[in-house]
Amino acid sequence: MSIDSILFYLFAVIILGSAIMTITRRNVVHSAIWLIGALVGVAGLYLLQGAEFLAGVQIIVYVGGITVLFLFVIMLVPVREEALTHRFSNQKWIAVFCSVVVFVILLAFVVHGVGSLDFPAGDEPIELGSLTKNSEEVGYVLFSEYLLPFELASILLLVAIIGAVVMSKTRNSETEG
Amino acid sequence: MSEHILSIIWLTPLIGMFVVMCLPKENKSLIRYVANGFAILGVIVTLPLIRGFDTAVADFQFVERIDWIPTIGAQYYLGVDGFGYIMILLTVIIGWLSIWCGWESIQEKVKEYYAFFLFLQAGMLGVFMVLDVFLFYVFWEIMLVPMYFIIGIWGGPRRLYAAIKFFLYTLTGSVLMLLSLLTVYFKHIEQFGNASFALEDMMRVAAYAAPDLQFWLFWGFFIALAVKVPMFPFHTWLPDAHTEAPTAGSVILAGILLKMGLYGLVRFAMPLFPQGASDGVTVNLVAFLSIVGIIYGALVSLMQKDWKKLVAYSSVSHLGFCTLGLIALNPNGIAGGILQGVNHGLSTSLLFLAVGVVYDRRHTRAIADYGGLANRMPVYTVLFAISMFASAGMPGLNGFIGEFTILRGALEVNTWWAVFAALGIILGAAYLLWLFQRVMLGPITNPKNEDMKDMNLREILIMAPLIAGCFWIGLYPKPCFEILEAPTAKLVERLDPGYFSRNGLENPLDKYEQSKTAALVRE
Amino acid sequence: MEVATSHYLILSTLLLFIGTVGVLTRRNIIVILMSIELILNAVNINLIAFSSALQQIHGQVFSIFVITDAAAEAAVGLGILIALFRNKETIRVDEIDLLRW
Amino acid sequence: MDAILFSAADFHVLKPAILLCLFGCGILITDAFLIRNRAERWKNAIPALAAQVAVAASLVQHLGDVRSGGAFSGLNGSMQVDGFAVFFNWIFVIAASLAIVISARYMDAEGEHRGEFYGLILFAQAGMSVMASGYDLVVLFIGLETMALSFYVMVGFLRDTRRSNEAALKYLILGAFSSGLLVYGFSILYGISGSTNLSEIAKATAARPESDLALFLALITCSVGLLFKISAAPFHMWAPDVYEGAPTPVTAYVSVASKAASFALMLRIFLTAFESSAEAWTPLLGAIAIVTMTIGNFAAVTQTNMKRMLAYSSVAHAGYILLGLVAGNETGLRGVAVYILAYVFMNYGAFTLVAALRREGEAAEDIDDFNGLYHRAPGYTILLAIFMLSLAGIPPLAGFYGKYFIFLAILREGYYVVAILAAIYVAVSAFYYFRVIRACWLLKEGEQPAHLDMNFGTRAALATCAFLTLLIGIYPQPFIDFAGEAVLPALR
Amino acid sequence: MFFLDSIWLIPMFPLLGAAVMLLFGRRLEPQQVQGPPEDDHSHHDGRHGQPAGRTLINILCPGMVLVSFVFALGAVFQLQDVEGHSYEVVKWTWLAGLDSATGMGLSAFTADWGFLLDSLSSVMILVVTGIGFLIHVYSIGYMAHDGGYYRFFGFLNLFLFFMLLLVLANNYVLLFVGWEGVGFCSWGLIGFYFRKQSAQNAATKAFLVNRIGDAAFVLGMLLTFTTLGTLTFTEIGPALNEGGFQIEESWGSWGPLSLLTLFFFIGACGKSAQIPLHVWLPDAMEGPTPVSALIHAATMVTAGVYLVARSSDIYVLAPKTMLIVAAVGGMTALLAAFIGLVQYDIKKVLAYSTISQLGYMFLACGVGAFWVGIFHLYTHAFFKALLFLGSGSVIHAVGGEQDMRKMGALKDKIPITYKTMLIGAVAISGVPGLAGFFSKDEILWKTFSAHRVDLYVLGLFTAMMTAFYMFRLIFMTFHGDNRVDPRTHVHESPRSMTVPLMILAAGSILAGYVGTPVVFGPVHNMLPSLEHWLSSALVVEDSGEHHAAALEWGLIFLSVVLALFAIWFAMKKFKTDKYEGEPMHGIIGKQCHQLFLRKYFVDEIYDIFIVKIAAKRSGLRLALFDRQVIDGAVNGVGLLTRITSLFSIFGDKWVVDGLVNIIGYGVKFVSYPIRMFQTGIVQNYVLLFVIGLGVVAGYYLFE
């Protein structure tokens, strides 16, 4: 029972637990909080896998950005009373049942399938604490092989910005009618 | 000029359509004149064809062949032999007359009416001259559209229903036909490598296609054609379409459109799949359906209260004869079937024109609304009687020739076919005479009919050529048989190789070869 | 003992499952969007696991893009949500059934 | 991997995308600063069209290069320019320009005429062009998302109409979910091959043993994601709602361009990454294609809303196109290309007329609104009839040839039952297309008849669509050749 | 050989007349169309006004017939010099049909517009043109008061054209043209008073019943062609020899010859009104009387006999058919005679007598004495025409009354008519010395000598009854008390009517002397022999072993005695001063009387079984069937259709809209549930999405 396996299971429990909480909380704010928990857990896994840079990104972008955005919107839209009472849709049971079945099948694939993947019999994963190395590699690959997607991502974000702006702008706030 | 005569023939009405579309819609009389002008022009441009057509040549004439879609091997490939020739003549004549007969009865949307009609005319002419299966399918589908509109816009009260019914029936049939012709097409590619839709190339496939495959492919074609014919279980669109269509529409429908089924059989379905056509199941089944159609159509029309419906069902009966003849697969049967198709075109068109005459006056098709017309319209009575007897197969008129030839072909195969078909002759007289009695004879029962005008000159002139045709075919059908003999012999040899030699007959084709060579020698 | 890659994958699949259930069952659109975030995170877990197993960096880079996409989607989604809320005063997904049949 | 910066070659490869992005940003700026009032908004269309022209020019270059030197790739093989890419880029150019042309009047009528709209059109197109020529999972994914996001926004662009919001939200939720699954599949592919480059992946998957579960896992998730994008049943549910709710030009754009792009993506992935397991997915896709045709055709029959009817019909068309992939032989793939090409024009034509019926203050989208349209606008009604007939696959119109190749392809593979079903459905589809023709020609007009509101752009768009529908129908040779040479070498 | 080469002209003259009449006749006719039916013969003063145009008609139409009569005579005279007494003129090939396989192997089907004049047709054309001419002349007077004059003469001429075509044709197909043509003309002439419902029905009935025969005729022709490979009369005989056909004796199997002869005979039955197709002839009396005389007594109805005689050399090879022909003929003769006993309508009596006489002719043919059949045909033409015209004159005299119970004591008022009719009656009754005697006795004798004693007795009995009902007619009409409606002014007919009567009377006295029995020895040898003349065209077998002349004398004596007895009996019963009650009751009993009066209920039976059930019912059924089941089946909701169609309200909705239902109900039936999935709630979509995912995954997992 090595240390990182313990850590893995710990993070796994955190992730799954808070994920479940996220989708089951009555109050949306609580859900958002639990979401943060899940995301942090994922970040932990990144660290565990030696992807420190990514872990950082995860914390900054997700926790610092997206979740805040969520909370912000939650504040914008008043929560109605019955939204609290009926949190689950009418199809919840059938839905749960179906997704259980489906994902049991998928799990079967995962369990039997991925075992058959042959990874280069690796020396032990990149040791912790070499932040620079990891970020360097990421940066290098990002700007060499994935330069194009990187540029495109900017367009993607631009579109997102436009979208957000267009959508949330009210008509009277426009310059002219 | 004359090497492009076929293109000219089918393009003339098309050009006419565009011209008509360009005319101002207010000026109805101008439109009428232009449209009829093009219709007559359509007849005129066929004269070189009539002059140049040589019945002594067994294979296709006036062939035009241009690559159209090389990638898939589709060509603009025209040509006529006896079958196509006789159908083209029928089409230009009846097309012209039906355009003419809308002169007064069509009052609204005149421009569109004539545009659609010329369009339809072009499409039908195309069908009768294409030798490229792909192009054939194209023309085949094209005609549906104008016909849909003609029924749907100018038809009777239930026109919407009739139009869509007509369209869907025929479309369903023809997509199945598409499937089976595609199958042949790629079988051809597999066999010979090159992609081609040309009829003769497609016909080469039959030698390599398994009989059962041919069987199914034949039926793929046959259902489409049977819907158009229409054969017994597929006929239910016909009464509605006929009844609801305007007079000219019914004339075109009965006169030409139904013939496409027959033509498609002899030109495409049978030659492409000889074993499929001569398969025992096919023959017996088709013969059975035809006979059922003959008797059935007659009995049903016996009971109709609607004049046009009666004539429509009589078409079912007559075309039962035609298909019976075709499926007999021997010269008399096939030639008789086609000839009877032509006859039906003439006589049924006459009957529909006759209905149109009184319909224009009284705007009702119910037989009960008439009666004693003979008192007021003697000329009309005479013309109608002639049409009636032509349709009832009175010897000396065309109907008899066709039925007799068909029965001869049928008897050659199976006595019982002939016996049952002969019942059709009896019943045919029955419903027509009864109709005549109810409509023409007796005192005038309905005061509205008191001041019926007799036929005017235009109406008489429209019917005259057809009646002349009836008499001509009835008294001197030899030319028709001469036209049909060569292609028939070709077809029979393909369907039933050695038919002639087996029966100790000299194959007419040899005769033609000799005559052709002789002709060459002379020049 | 070594934590096999399959463990990560199973974990991610479970996360995917939870996300799906969230999308399927919650009435609150915001929560549905959150669940979608969960799904994308599941993908990321996969990528990271693979990249470490393969001794490669590409997976990590890929997951960066996935995160970007997640951010963009969330932004647009919330924007649309606001627009909708402005018209319809609701964020309940089953009250949005104007377009049907 | 020494080339950190773009090389000239990379620029050449990227030219369409780059141009589009530049013009897109340009429009945003000019709209913000130059366009004074609403009346001038239509001017935004000018740079947008200019962008199309530029892209078209670069595509001509690309095609020339491909013809001379075969396919070439850039950016370390993450982009590949081949006939396939060029062909689909052409489709996008046509679709986008038509969308731009018909938008101005429509968005005016909707009172939502804004510069961003044109920007989004261009960005979406950029995404699509990347999808068409991308050769790397990441690139494809980002391209896909760019397109998708732009469409979410465009669909919801009418912020004050609830239908529009609703459509956008549904589209977003479903789209995000599906792309989540898709990218999950991508991750598995990455895991299998250790690379994101399609050629690498193709090598790796080809090396996998028969019926490898991991590969299947990737296959499942990817195909589900892609089937959603092409709106194949049972993942088609978004299509009707989105088509109905979206502003009509966007509907047209989505129904044509996004479908085409998704098909491009699907073909790319299935014929590279999953080519080795073809016999595994062929029957499945076949079944899905049949279900799709069935649902699409039958559901369309009873629709009353024109856009919704067209939506279902487009679902059915997706089924037909899918059959081409199922057949998998060259005829089938050619058929896919031809079908899409024809589909662009006839579908755009139909939607353009629907859009033309939208006038300030009145939304006329029901089939009943077309009643007696013939009396008011005979010419346009004839065009509409042409489009409908072409959609129904009546020769000699463009729509027929797509079906022709598809039928031929599946017959070749010996799927007779499928062929007969597909053929029967043609008749069924004729029924609902003819409902429109019937409404226009045969029915009396209602109390307050809807009127067509045309401007130059709309007329131009209609003319183009009708002309090409007819041209492809009567002289299809060059188009068939183009489709063939574009698609075949790239895929086999 | 001018006349022989121009035999094809013989039919053409009447055709010309007909064409002129039917095309331009209306111009010659003062009144538009004929007046209402009831004024057929009533209210006429003695004078016959002749409108201007009519004079032309009167000259043209009979003139044409006269010309062709002359040509016929000339041709026949020239024919005598031709050896083989047969001359053929082929104008042009008509049906150059395509080759087809036949029993004789090769055969290129041809039917020409060819005309054959041989001894058989020579008799026919003389009868047709001669009697035709007389009747034309007669009609001038008879039809004087009717409108549609031109129509009448046009049709009459047209009829002669077709009839001559029929008898002059050199092949079956052309014969069939005439065959149908005369049917058509009879249709037109029966329905001449086309406003009378009864006339219309009679016309239609006549045509349809004939049509049945025609269908059989067509089949007969086809069988002939497929068996013998030709339809030309002159080639039939050679083909038979060449084919080496044997006499088809055995009753077990029906050879082609028996079959085709049977078909021909059915055709003949239709035309010649033999049982069971006799029903149309009595009704045909709706037509003007000259028509009845010409078409329904003298010429057209005998076409059947002509056909059988024409095909005699096939018939002799089919004894089975021969027997059937004889039997049917005999039965018809007897049964028709029975009906004739009790009719009151003077024309009906004659009509049934005609049927009965036709039966005689077939009887003769049936026993192989074809020439005798023709002989009787020829004599019968004279006296039956005479009788009809006479009755017409009577009707004319008493103002359109046809019921004999309203006549009587006319013999002094219309003497000429009386005398001529009396001659006719005597002739038909077979009193020695007149035409009927010779032919009828020849028939009886041939029957006897062919060892068909049963048929002989039958014929003998019929002969007796013939005499009886004929004199019943005479006595009821001309003797006894005057039962004529006193208001009518009875008057003798004009010249144009009486002269033909007299000529015909002379004919019916003399016509018989061309067929005197052999036993007359010197007389027989002195006179021309029709038998010898016809032997060139017909099979004339010398009846095997010669019976003793005594026997023949005895039979002749017997029949004469019976005839005389019948006449005496009729006189006793009907030559009463006061006609009351129904004398027939005393003789044959009430029930039989009813039975005969109602013609054995045959019409009723046909009406029920054929017209009502077969035609109309099934027609209706099928019409319904068409609407319901065919389309219904198309709907795929056949059962539902049949149920709903019970309620006619929904009937239309479900039934009539045939195919639209496959779409409208079939497809919509599928369409709605599919749309049901589209709930508009996005989560349901996602759920379906997930399920789809599951299906796909499951497929791969379990594949």
Side-chain angles (χ1 to χ4, degrees), chain E residues 331-355:
Chain E
M331 290 310 293
T332 311
L334 185 66
L335 298 176
F338 272 128
I339 301 176
L341 287 180
V342 299
Q343 292 299 321
Y344 296 114
D345 184 324
I346 183 167
K347 285 179 70 178
K348 285 275 170 70
V349 176
L350 293 175
Y352 281 102
S353 143
T354 310
I355 299 179

Side-chain angles (χ1 to χ4, degrees), chain E residues 72 117 124 127 418 550 553 570:
Chain E
L117 182 67
M124 296 301 289
V127 171
Y418 171 59
W553 279 116

Side-chain angles (χ1 to χ4, degrees), chain E residues 154-439:
Chain E
F155 267 108
L156 220 51
N157 267 357
L158 193 61
F159 167 78
L160 278 180
F161 161 70
F162 279 121
M163 192 66 206
L164 289 166
L165 199 61
L166 191 157
V167 293
L168 281 174
N170 79 330
N171 60 60
Y172 281 105
V173 191
L174 192 57
L175 187 152
F176 186 65
V177 176
W179 185 271
E180 282 279 339
V182 289
F184 161 69
C185 296
S186 103
W187 173 79
L189 286 167
I190 295 171
F192 180 73
Y193 304 119
F194 63 81
R195 294 183 176 181
K196 257 202 294 180
Q197 186 63 37
S198 53
Q200 303 169 16
N201 295 342
T204 314
K205 186 176 181 181
F207 197 89
L208 290 185
V209 176
N210 270 307
R211 197 76 181 176
I212 298 172
D214 301 341
F217 189 117
V218 171
L219 291 173
M221 277 196 285
L222 295 169
L223 262 179
T224 315
F225 181 74
T226 38
T227 329
L228 303 177
T230 177
L231 284 175
T232 313
F233 299 138
T234 47
E235 296 167 2
I236 294 279
L240 281 169
N241 305 333
E242 178 186 340
F245 289 94
Q246 298 308 317
I247 296 185
E248 294 170 351
E249 287 288 3
S250 76
W251 280 93
S253 71
W254 280 74
L257 295 182
S258 316
L259 218 50
L260 70 92
T261 43
L262 189 62
F263 275 133
F264 276 139
F265 178 59
I266 297 175
C269 283
K271 202 48 94 185
S272 302
Q274 294 301 292
I275 286 174
L277 299 183
H278 64 285
V279 288
W280 65 271
L281 187 49
D283 298 15
M285 296 303 137
E286 289 287 344
T289 311
V291 173
S292 316
L294 177 60
I295 301 184
H296 305 121
T299 54
M300 179 184 95
V301 287
T302 60
V305 184
Y306 170 77
L307 174 67
V308 173
R310 217 2 127 192
S311 331
S312 56
D313 41 12
I314 312 180
Y315 269 90
V316 291
L317 293 178
K320 298 194 290 288
T321 325
M322 295 279 276
L323 185 56
I324 293 176
V325 173
V328 171
M331 290 310 293
T332 311
L334 185 66
L335 298 176
F338 272 128
I339 301 176
L341 287 180
V342 299
Q343 292 299 321
Y344 296 114
D345 184 324
I346 183 167
K347 285 179 70 178
K348 285 275 170 70
V349 176
L350 293 175
Y352 281 102
S353 143
T354 310
I355 299 179
S356 154
Q357 297 303 312
L358 290 165
Y360 263 116
M361 300 175 202
F362 279 106
L363 176 58
C365 299
V367 297
F370 297 98
W371 78 268
V372 186
I374 297 300
F375 181 32
H376 192 57
L377 184 160
Y378 151 80
T379 52
H380 172 261
F382 283 96
F383 51 70
K384 188 50 64 70
L386 170 59
L387 287 167
F388 262 114
L389 294 187
S391 69
S393 161
V394 172
I395 296 166
H396 191 263
V398 297
E401 183 52 65
Q402 299 195 1
D403 189 337
M404 295 192 290
R405 285 170 298 189
K406 299 206 174 58
M407 297 178 183
L410 295 174
K411 68 174 189 303
D412 307 324
K413 304 200 186 62
I414 44 174
I416 307 171
T417 314
Y418 171 59
K419 295 195 186 66
T420 47
M421 268 193 94
L422 190 59
I423 293 171
V426 174
I428 195 175
S429 323
V431 172
L434 282 72
F437 163 76
F438 295 107
S439 50

Side-chain angles (χ1 to χ4, degrees), chain D residues 136-223:
Chain D
D136 180 296
L137 287 183
V138 182
V139 176
L140 290 172
F141 175 64
I142 293 294
L144 175 66
E145 283 308 312
T146 319
M147 175 192 82
L149 278 176
S150 329
F151 275 131
Y152 302 153
V153 181
M154 280 194 277
V155 167
F157 208 79
L158 314 178
R159 297 160 308 158
D160 297 352
T161 27
R162 265 160 51 180
R163 294 176 160 275
S164 179
N165 309 134
E166 186 176 329
L169 192 70
K170 286 177 174 176
Y171 195 15
L172 180 119
I173 291 174
L174 288 163
F177 183 72
S178 76
S179 46
L181 280 174
L182 180 64
V183 73
Y184 184 90
F186 282 1
S187 69
I188 303 290
L189 275 178
Y190 168 69
I192 291 172
S193 64
S195 162
T196 57
N197 189 303
L198 279 179
S199 50
E200 300 294 325
I201 295 173
K203 287 198 201 72
T205 49
R208 304 294 297 176
E210 277 304 306
S211 68
D212 169 33
L213 287 182
L215 184 52
F216 280 173
L217 183 57
L219 181 53
I220 294 162
T221 41
C222 287
S223 48

Side-chain angles (χ1 to χ4, degrees), chain A residues 6 8 26 33 42 68 71 79 88 102 120 126 133 136 144 154 156 162-163:
Chain A
I6 297 173
F8 170 76
R26 175 177 284 106
I33 306 300
V42 174
V68 172
L71 288 168
V79 182
F88 293 120
V102 171
I126 316 146
K133 190 158 175 291
E136 196 179 314
S144 60
S154 60
L156 180 64
I162 298 169

Side-chain angles (χ1 to χ4, degrees), chain B residues 81-83 330-336 338 481 483-495 500 508-509, chain E residues 98:
Chain B
D81 64 355
F83 293 144
N330 51 30
N332 289 300
I334 292 169
I338 295 299
F481 283 112
I483 292 169
L484 291 175
E485 183 165 16
T488 309
K490 248 168 92 179
L491 183 54
V492 172
E493 267 305 318
R494 178 160 177 81
L495 291 168
F500 293 98
L509 291 181
Chain E
L98 306 169

